[in-house]
Amino acid sequence: MTIKSKSTFVRCEPSQIVEALVGLKDVRVIAYRRIGPDVELVIEQTVLQRSCPTCGGAGQIKERPTVRYVDLPVYGQPMRLAWRKHRLICRRPDCAGASWTSADHRIAAKNCLLTTRCAKWATVQVGTGRAVSDVAGELSCDWHTVNDAVMAYGRALLAADRRRLNATTAIGLDETSFVKLCSRRGRSYATTVADVANHQIIEILPTRSYVDVAGWIDQQPLAWKHRIRFGALDMSATYAAVYTVMLP
């Protein structure tokens, strides 16, 4: 008896492929390209918002620009996502709005050259200790491409994480000195705000000046400031002044 072998390819229909790779249903695959080790998947949206953001009138497609993003590798191969966007203009002649380009944060965030899923993955990698250069090497892209995405997503995570502020009753202020790697030697300082009671970093400020550090504390909720009972510091007169004035 002959046993018929099953195909090893579990996805063959284009919409299923893009759903597996990108995780979106209202996107279709236009083309699949491979040049050497680089793989590019060309996609476009099937659902388009045509309403003018200025007046709400109907818009029409003006151009179809293609924007390329770095995506997660597929089977160890560098992957690029080429998104054929829609640039639209309002059909009303009296509308003061200019043209607008379709956007979808599920595919990629604004001003980010990594896809959303790739940017989230890179943020986790760097956040758990990997060097930005190491992650960029795995994605086969520029260092700044990864760093810009991690900074953007990291700020969003910090803004959403209010628990790190609510739990503490004791904070610590300390400075870190950085030497600039350039022809003219110079130093820059950052201030680490730590939750001493729970052993975690609350914030890192790119300065050690009184105005900036005191300004950060001043921006925090009143209930948080009333909860602080202890402050840790070294012999810094600046940080002592911050505690004295902002958290007497």
Side-chain angles (χ1 to χ4, degrees):
M1 185 174 117
T2 302
I3 300 176
K4 187 177 180 180
S5 61
K6 295 182 179 180
S7 172
T8 57
F9 294 96
V10 296
R11 294 288 186 271
C12 56
E13 201 271 326
S15 62
Q16 293 180 340
I17 294 174
V18 76
E19 182 179 351
L21 291 178
V22 189
L24 303 176
K25 297 181 179 180
D26 54 346
V27 174
R28 71 185 184 95
V29 179
I30 299 176
Y32 172 88
R33 304 185 183 124
R34 181 165 184 170
I35 303 175
D38 297 327
V39 178
E40 181 178 79
L41 196 66
V42 185
I43 66 170
E44 70 175 359
Q45 292 173 286
T46 58
V47 178
L48 182 63
Q49 176 57 259
R50 293 177 177 266
S51 300
C52 174
T54 302
C55 68
Q60 64 181 19
I61 298 176
K62 177 184 179 182
E63 295 176 315
R64 295 295 307 277
T66 299
V67 181
R68 288 175 169 81
Y69 299 91
V70 177
D71 200 7
L72 291 176
V74 177
Y75 300 116
Q77 299 297 324
M79 186 74 176
R80 299 295 182 268
L81 198 68
W83 180 7
R84 288 188 61 189
K85 295 190 174 184
H86 300 78
R87 182 171 292 128
L88 301 96
I89 57 174
C90 185
R91 300 176 66 177
R92 293 180 56 179
D94 58 338
C95 179
S99 62
W100 70 94
T101 304
S102 59
D104 191 333
H105 69 276
R106 299 173 305 162
I107 301 176
K110 185 178 180 181
N111 299 325
C112 184
L113 296 179
L114 301 184
T115 62
T116 295
R117 70 171 190 163
C118 185
K120 291 179 178 180
W121 174 84
T123 302
V124 172
Q125 297 302 305
V126 175
T128 53
R130 289 186 65 183
V132 174
S133 57
D134 185 29
V135 176
E138 185 172 355
L139 296 176
S140 188
C141 69
D142 184 72
W143 183 92
H144 293 284
T145 300
V146 174
N147 189 67
D148 291 346
V150 171
M151 291 293 290
Y153 278 79
R155 290 192 191 98
L157 288 172
L158 283 175
D161 182 14
R162 306 305 298 179
R163 292 180 60 186
R164 75 184 198 282
L165 295 176
N166 294 336
T168 185
T169 58
I171 65 171
L173 299 177
D174 198 9
E175 67 184 16
T176 302
S177 172
F178 295 92
V179 178
K180 296 181 179 178
L181 300 178
C182 58
S183 57
R184 182 181 300 175
R185 292 194 62 185
R187 289 182 179 272
S188 60
Y189 293 87
T191 295
T192 300
V193 185
D195 178 352
V196 179
N198 296 288
H199 309 287
Q200 67 177 10
I201 293 176
I202 297 176
E203 185 64 273
I204 297 179
L205 308 173
T207 176
R208 64 170 179 174
S209 73
Y210 169 86
V211 173
D212 295 327
V213 178
W216 182 85
I217 292 180
D218 185 55
Q219 294 171 4
Q220 305 313 309
L222 187 61
W224 179 85
K225 288 183 283 190
H226 285 169
R227 193 179 298 114
I228 303 299
R229 308 301 301 169
F230 303 95
L233 73 162
D234 55 16
M235 299 301 293
S236 169
T238 299
Y239 296 146
V242 170
Y243 283 135
T244 301
V245 175
M246 303 307 301
L247 298 170

